[in-house]
Amino acid sequence: MAKYELPINSRMLKSDFVFGVATSSYQIEGGAEEGGRTPSIWDTFCAVPGKVDNGDNGAVACDHYHLWKQDVAMIAELGVDAYRLSIAWSRIVPRDGEVNPEGLKFYENIIDECHALGMKVYVTLYHWDLPQYLEEKGGWLNRETAYKFAQYADIVSQHFGDKIDVYSTLNEPAVSAFLGYRFGIHAPGIKGNKEGFLASHHTMLAHGLAMPILRKNAPNSMHGLVVNAWPAYAESEKDQFAVELSEAESYHWFVDPVLKGEYPAIVKERYPYDMPMILEGDMAIISAPIDYLGVNYYSRNVVRLNEHNVVEKVVLEDVEKTHIGWEVYPQGLTDLLVAMKQRYDNLPPIYITENGAAGDDSVTDGEVNDTQRVNYFQTHLKATHDAIEAGVQIDGYFAWSLMDNFEWAFGYEQRFGIVHVDYTTQTRTLKQSAKAYQAMLVERAAGNK
Ligand code: FCB
């Protein structure tokens, strides 16, 4: 049976290195109209023909809203130290100014169950499911949304306090702001550079406004945010500028304001007419110290500058790719983490909050032989180890995802789970990748006794 090997002498063998699995609310919960939840921008977006593959939506998803107890038991059985989940904003604040106790209770049950089974909980407050009633007032284009987020963060953290072990304000603001408000391929489907940059500034402001509130209400928890990064590589030597621009737009734009208190100059120079309105004091709010940075890594970009002076992604032919078409490139994870350490003197400890591979998996005789995913995790665990050896402080690693789920604009066609979900019967089946994770964790626990 498959089992991941952890390199010896690694920080990863110590019992305080956190191994976990991750999910998000809209991708797994379903129960869209239950428990007092109101629609989010994703319910609305999914209803627009052509926006999501196969016309899929998250109305039922993995039915985790009803199956949460058995799902948490399954997570515990994997032997992980922690579960990373997100809270659906519109379950907690279904209408402006209204708090829904049933929503709070739903998450409280999950959190208590995780703790009872010996696991920590990492909670993301915003994993892209903005309440629709806020979108109707402009969503992230409206500065007011940042203040609404701070209120929501206050409600959650007042209720849970230190019971949530690790809070994260945002998941991948680059995706929610740019895919949602700049390129129009995620909810709410808005297109425009100006809109994208404005949404991004308000999203970052939301993060900054929430930080002191979280610290006050949960002084013993850790607080930070989660970003995604696809490191860029030049197609040829002349493409260095393309590399810089690509990384600046896709992740420095979101990490620099937090860790350096400024937006990267190269982006400001490139889009002088599209820059957001930044009020005095905004950058100080956004750059409040964080306890950790969550990094999501899947793949890299190879880039070049085309004849119109625009950055283009190069499609590589002869490389290994996953079902979703993303190149398998573990070295990128090491390079990314080492580069982050070089770029930010004050880089806090890192959690790899997501890493994983999409497959087209099916169950045969009760087994799912997801060999590619097993190799993917093995090589990326090694890449994490290499970054640690190179001096980066990494305190944990979360597999994306616990189970197959609603993969946004790709619908259910892309399966990222280490557990297979049969959407007709809601049967869960551990894939080889889950069994290998389990076996590795059993071995690590034995070694740490
Ligand atoms: C990340 C998201 C996560 C999932 C994975 C595949 O960008 O945070 O929800 O969609 O990609």
Side-chain angles (χ1 to χ4, degrees), residues 24 27 84 127-128 171-172 175 228 296 298 326 354 400 406-408 416:
S24 90
Q27 294 181 277
R84 173 175 178 251
H127 201 125
W128 312 349
N171 176 70
E172 301 191 355
V175 174
N228 60 306
N296 295 350
Y298 289 92
W326 299 349
E354 286 180 27
W400 182 272
F406 175 74
E407 182 44 40
W408 308 112
F416 270 94

Side-chain angles (χ1 to χ4, degrees), residues 312-324:
E312 235 175 39
K313 288 182 191 172
V314 180
V315 180
L316 302 175
E317 297 300 341
D318 295 323
V319 296
E320 185 190 351
K321 293 179 185 167
T322 60
H323 186 50
I324 203 166

Side-chain angles (χ1 to χ4, degrees), residues 77-314:
E77 221 179 285
L78 292 173
V80 294
D81 309 300
Y83 174 41
R84 173 175 178 251
L85 68 147
S86 82
I87 291 185
W89 186 342
S90 68
R91 280 196 193 284
I92 308 299
V93 191
R95 274 162 289 272
D96 203 1
E98 197 180 296
V99 179
N100 175 26
E102 216 180 328
L104 288 165
K105 186 71 190 146
F106 171 63
Y107 295 105
E108 186 150 17
N109 287 338
I110 295 175
I111 292 166
D112 285 348
E113 189 72 5
C114 285
H115 285 156
L117 296 174
M119 296 179 291
K120 292 207 159 131
V121 283
Y122 284 54
V123 170
T124 303
L125 294 173
Y126 186 63
H127 201 125
W128 312 349
D129 40 1
L130 186 73
Q132 180 61 33
Y133 63 84
L134 290 179
E135 184 56 37
E136 266 140 42
K137 294 189 169 160
W140 290 109
L141 300 178
N142 181 353
R143 189 176 164 96
E144 193 56 26
T145 298
Y147 294 87
K148 296 288 177 196
F149 178 78
Q151 284 168 10
Y152 155 62
D154 195 22
I155 294 163
V156 173
S157 56
Q158 266 194 41
H159 185 82
F160 292 109
D162 300 335
K163 216 185 218 201
I164 290 177
D165 301 280
V166 178
Y167 283 82
S168 115
T169 51
L170 310 172
N171 176 70
E172 301 191 355
V175 174
S176 57
F178 283 179
L179 295 198
Y181 290 84
R182 187 176 173 198
F183 302 122
I185 54 178
H186 273 194
I190 290 170
K191 279 189 196 157
N193 283 339
K194 226 185 184 54
E195 288 77 1
F197 286 115
L198 189 61
S200 74
H201 182 60
H202 293 154
T203 309
M204 297 317 290
L205 183 64
H207 156 78
L209 289 169
M211 281 303 288
I213 296 170
L214 296 176
R215 284 204 190 285
K216 176 167 151 276
N217 293 339
N220 299 312
S221 307
M222 287 178 75
H223 304 287
L225 85 163
V226 171
V227 298
N228 60 306
W230 289 50
Y233 296 78
E235 183 187 40
S236 70
E237 260 168 47
K238 64 170 184 20
D239 296 312
Q240 267 322 314
F241 179 72
V243 166
E244 244 186 89
L245 194 59
S246 162
E247 294 194 338
E249 274 189 49
S250 65
Y251 83 86
H252 299 159
W253 182 261
F254 298 88
V255 184
D256 284 14
V258 178
L259 295 181
K260 290 175 174 246
E262 63 189 21
Y263 285 113
I266 185 174
V267 181
K268 293 195 265 186
E269 283 155 17
R270 185 84 180 176
Y271 302 95
Y273 305 111
D274 298 317
M275 287 296 101
M277 159 101 89
I278 299 172
L279 301 190
E280 211 186 315
D282 282 3
M283 299 316 287
I285 293 171
I286 298 172
S287 58
I290 52 173
D291 301 327
Y292 74 92
L293 180 68
V295 174
N296 295 350
Y297 175 82
Y298 289 92
S299 186
R300 68 159 173 176
N301 288 321
V302 174
V303 295
R304 66 168 160 237
L305 215 54
N306 73 12
E307 63 277 20
H308 308 293
N309 213 18
V310 169
V311 177
E312 235 175 39
K313 288 182 191 172
V314 180

